[in-house]
Amino acid sequence: MTTKKYETYYVPAQSHWPIVGAVALFLIAVGAANYVTDIKNAESGFGGYILIAGIALVIYMMFGWFNNVINESMSGKYSHQMDNSFRQGMSWFIFSEVMFFAAFFGALLYARTFAVPWLGGDGNNAMTGQVLWPEFTAQWPLIKTPDGTETTGMGWYGLPLINTILLLTSSVTAHFAHVALEQEKRGLLKFWLGLTVALGLAFLYCQGLEYAHGYADEMKLYLTSGIYGNTFYMLTGFHGMHVTLGTIMLIVMLIRVFKGHFTPKNHFAFQAASWYWHFVDVVWVMLFVFVYIL
Amino acid sequence: MTTEAIHDSHEHDDHHDHKMTGIKRWLYTTNHKDIGTLYLWFAFIMLLVGGALAMGIRAELFQPGLQLMEPDFFNQLTTVHGLIMVFGAIMPAFTGFANWMIPMMIGAPDMALPRMNNWSFWILPFAFAILLSSFFMDSGAPNFGWTFYAPLSSTYSNGSTAFFVFAVHIMGVSSIMGAINVIVTIMNMRAPGMTYMKMPLFVWTFFITAYLLIAVMPVLAGVVTMLLTDTYFGTSFFDAAGGGDPVMFQHIFWFFGHPEVYIMILPAFGIVSTIIPAFARKRLFGYSSMVYATASIAFLSFIVWAHHMFTTGMPLFGELFFMYCTMLIAVPTGVKVFNWVATMWRGSMSFEVPMLFSIAFVILFTIGGFSGLMLAMTPIDFQYHDTYFVVAHFHYVLVTGSLFSIFAGTYYWLPKWTGNMYSDKLSKAHFWCSLISVNLLFFPMHFLGLAGMPRRIPDYALQFADFNMWVSIGGFAFGLSQLIFLAVVIKCIKGGEKAEAKPWDGAEGLEWTVPSPAPYHTFETPPKID
């Protein structure tokens, strides 16, 4: 296309999507802040509506923004270098997500290794145990907190094990889909990608069942059930949100595959969705080990 | 480094991306120079807002006794002052420099992801609008210090914690996107021949800063999320009664917080390392040692966080580990200071304003570094903790460190940005007024702290009265001095002596190969670097 040593890097013209996105984030933040404040004060307000408006605006922005990018990409405006920018951008975004989960894993490990044993009098904290909560025994899962909230630990067999198998399998099928795309076997690509989406949805369904099980009266495992319930629901909950997002990304990819998008050389969006999927899979393996088994 | 740019901006017409006019240009822009300008102006406005809050603090502390405000409002002032200066002034200012300069320094046509670049800027004003709006709520603004220790920020907070949390979330998103953009730009868009070890030092320092940002801003997002659920959804991450631990808050917060302070100083090192060689007319004494020192500081910043918590309570091993690791940071920092001094040694120095601010930076930052070394020693820290000595320490590194480097960088690149030279007289007045007032403002705080005056208290014992009066006078003088800066910048934008492409004869780098003011698009075809 060009005789120069370097291809020209595509710098997009002005775009109104970022400012739409900024307003959307503003509405989400203001809405969510008002909403949780009203819940706490047991008042009713308009926060929820602002929040919903913000989310709707963000979805609208994503459609518009991605539409621009897809059109630019399909019309061949992007060089190899641009593709690299997108790939590197996505990998560092995933790294930042890893660090977000690291904060919660850090909280889990800190609570298990330090906070709970110290409350039970470990280390030089014998007096903490005797003076504050003499009845308290340190254990994990923490089924009885110092202030006496009781709950039940979630075992690793059953639903969590099924979920592990579902998600690990889906990572393999996502890889097969990628291989099929690179070998230009469109039929196989549709099959494996469709299967990946189905496995993702099955995972989410099982996760829902597990939560219903936890909130049922036999287990009494709530978000508010002390540090065990906190870390359990926050970690699996954020993971579940990421699986939801990943599934939506894969569904969009599936639609694009049916529309005939992507070539063996040019399929950044597919690659990004697939990386993201592998990432939520790895997080789940960590969860399965540290939240469920150990 | 020898750079020879084949500069051919004339053979391109602006075939796309014509400048829009009016507000739309700024709202919709994808141009790194426009976005850099937006960041810099936003940072300056936030500096004035944060400075106004600081003047409120100093007015209250001018005399002992409660003079002007309730203690709760005083706490709101200190909290929001800290948050604004950290997240609203210093960080966006450096991101502004990165936006303006990095593509020009590495010979790239723009940032790698220009639309995301616009997004990372424009969410910032909204975040600060939310934060500042809490002053006008019934509950008042956050009052728990910028470090928002639980349970002050959870169980005992006033009603605005949710607004604080979501504002911080947006600031974090902005920083992460900005950092990703910088990393991708540097890794992917360097001109052919621009190897990593040929990159200007500012590019290196911001590269490393960007890694710190994407590593720790998500941790901040995590800790504010736990704070949100503790405050509003009944979790007990930071509540011992539910099996959590308030100390855990401090660990997670400072795991973010310590790299954060290097996020605010590493780009300053880069700016000063660019300016000192230019006005000493000598190459930087040890380029590669500067790169390695920056990387070492960044690495060490991840394993020193608990030195903020010596008095909180930690096993003895932890206290010793964090003390020794902290003191280790003095080694790469010493390498840097040595390098700056060695660069000036026997150079043919001239003292234009960027150089004056840089020399002041070297001396005053070193004072802040030494007081940091004192604070690093666990047994001594037991006495200094939460006194004005700490306030003196971090204001020496953040104001006479980071902020002075921002002034230095502005004066260094302002001719490139505007195409005009600024008033020498007025800018020197800004320097001398700032230098004298800032020392009057922060130096006596060392003595106050050593004598035991606690921080974040609106009243104090009578023996601290004289020093506090001087500190307040210095504070107001420093604040007003910044209006001179505003005047210099506005006058320079409006006109003045035309600047040459390279107004400083010792300056090096690709940014000086393009005309002043820099054209709207630079290096659409990459220059060749030998």
Side-chain angles (χ1 to χ4, degrees), chain A residues 242-255:
Chain A
H242 283 74
V243 174
T244 312
L245 188 62
T247 310
I248 294 171
M249 284 160 77
L250 289 176
I251 291 173
V252 173
M253 293 312 124
L254 193 60
I255 295 168

Side-chain angles (χ1 to χ4, degrees), chain A residues 140 142 151 221-234:
Chain A
W140 194 269
L142 187 63
T151 182
L221 177 56
Y222 311 122
L223 175 65
T224 49
S225 305
I227 193 72
Y228 175 69
N230 303 160
T231 49
F232 176 82
Y233 281 109
M234 292 294 272

Side-chain angles (χ1 to χ4, degrees), chain A residues 99-111 223 227 230-231 234-235 238, chain B residues 148 150 153-155 161 164-165 169 218-239 244-246 248-253:
Chain A
M99 292 308 293
F100 180 75
F101 276 99
F104 287 91
F105 276 108
L108 171 70
L109 296 178
Y110 185 91
L223 175 65
I227 193 72
N230 303 160
T231 49
M234 292 294 272
L235 275 163
F238 272 116
Chain B
F148 57 102
S153 52
S154 54
T155 316
T161 302
F164 159 80
V165 166
H169 268 306
V219 176
L220 174 68
V223 76
V224 293
T225 306
M226 291 179 219
L227 177 68
L228 184 81
T229 59
D230 264 21
T231 315
Y232 294 92
F233 297 102
T235 61
S236 36
F237 284 106
F238 310 131
D239 180 2
D245 189 348
M248 181 168 83
F249 172 88
Q250 298 182 25
H251 279 291
I252 306 177
F253 173 79

Side-chain angles (χ1 to χ4, degrees), chain A residues 245-283:
Chain A
L245 188 62
T247 310
I248 294 171
M249 284 160 77
L250 289 176
I251 291 173
V252 173
M253 293 312 124
L254 193 60
I255 295 168
R256 289 188 61 188
V257 166
F258 273 97
K259 280 187 161 185
H261 292 198
F262 305 127
T263 64
K265 284 241 153 86
N266 187 5
H267 54 263
F268 159 72
F270 180 89
Q271 179 116 59
S274 142
W275 280 346
Y276 199 77
W277 195 252
H278 293 313
F279 151 72
V280 296
D281 196 18
V282 171
V283 172

Side-chain angles (χ1 to χ4, degrees), chain B residues 114-137:
Chain B
R115 278 174 289 220
M116 192 173 83
N117 201 14
N118 175 310
W119 202 25
S120 5
F121 170 75
W122 273 110
I123 59 181
L124 268 187
F126 288 111
F128 284 91
I130 295 173
L131 180 64
L132 286 170
S133 73
S134 55
F135 269 116
F136 305 100
M137 293 173 191

Side-chain angles (χ1 to χ4, degrees), chain A residues 4-23 25-26 28-30 32-34 36-37 39-40 58 61 65 68-69 72 78 80-86 88-90 92-93 95-97 99-100 102-104 106-108 110-111 114-116 118-119 124 133 136 142 145-149 223-228 230-231 234 238, chain B residues 11-12 16-20 24-25 27-30 109-116 118-119 122-123 126-127 129-130 154 157 159 162-163 166-167 169-170 173 176 180 183-184 187-192 211 214-216 218-219 221-223 225-226 228-237 240-245 247-248 251-252 255 315 520-521 524-526 528:
Chain A
K4 292 191 194 90
K5 194 175 162 201
Y6 252 54
E7 303 154 292
T8 315
Y9 194 84
Y10 178 71
V11 178
Q14 278 94 339
S15 167
H16 63 282
W17 294 116
I19 192 75
V20 171
V23 173
L25 280 191
F26 175 68
I28 289 177
V30 170
N34 274 304
V36 298
T37 308
I39 290 179
K40 194 185 183 198
V58 139
M61 174 209 76
W65 192 331
N68 275 7
V69 174
E72 287 160 13
Y78 289 169
H80 177 64
Q81 201 187 7
M82 187 82 205
D83 209 44
N84 264 343
S85 289
F86 282 143
Q88 289 174 1
M90 187 67 191
W92 292 115
F93 167 67
F95 174 71
S96 77
E97 292 267 51
M99 292 308 293
F100 180 75
F104 287 91
L108 171 70
Y110 185 91
F114 299 119
V116 171
W118 285 345
L119 283 170
N124 59 356
W133 292 289
F136 176 71
L142 187 63
T145 64
D147 66 359
T149 313
L223 175 65
T224 49
S225 305
I227 193 72
Y228 175 69
N230 303 160
T231 49
M234 292 294 272
F238 272 116
Chain B
E11 91 187 34
H12 292 272
H16 53 74
D17 211 329
H18 287 288
K19 238 189 275 188
M20 285 191 189
K24 278 188 178 172
R25 167 176 172 195
L27 287 178
Y28 297 170
T29 183
T30 49
D110 205 297
M111 296 292 276
L113 305 160
R115 278 174 289 220
M116 192 173 83
N118 175 310
W119 202 25
W122 273 110
I123 59 181
F126 288 111
I130 295 173
S154 54
S157 69
F163 292 88
F166 287 107
H169 268 306
I170 299 185
V173 169
I176 290 168
I180 289 175
I183 291 177
V184 175
M187 290 181 73
N188 196 27
M189 313 255 311
R190 279 167 293 125
Y211 278 110
I214 51 169
V216 301
V219 176
V223 76
T225 306
M226 291 179 219
L228 184 81
T229 59
D230 264 21
T231 315
Y232 294 92
F233 297 102
T235 61
S236 36
F237 284 106
D245 189 348
V247 177
M248 181 168 83
H251 279 291
I252 306 177
F255 183 82
Y520 199 57
H521 294 285
E524 286 184 277
T525 308
K528 214 172 145 235

Side-chain angles (χ1 to χ4, degrees), chain B residues 42-60:
Chain B
F42 176 73
F44 187 69
I45 292 165
M46 283 294 119
L47 181 78
L48 295 184
V49 173
L53 300 178
M55 287 188 178
I57 295 168
R58 283 322 315 176
E60 172 58 45

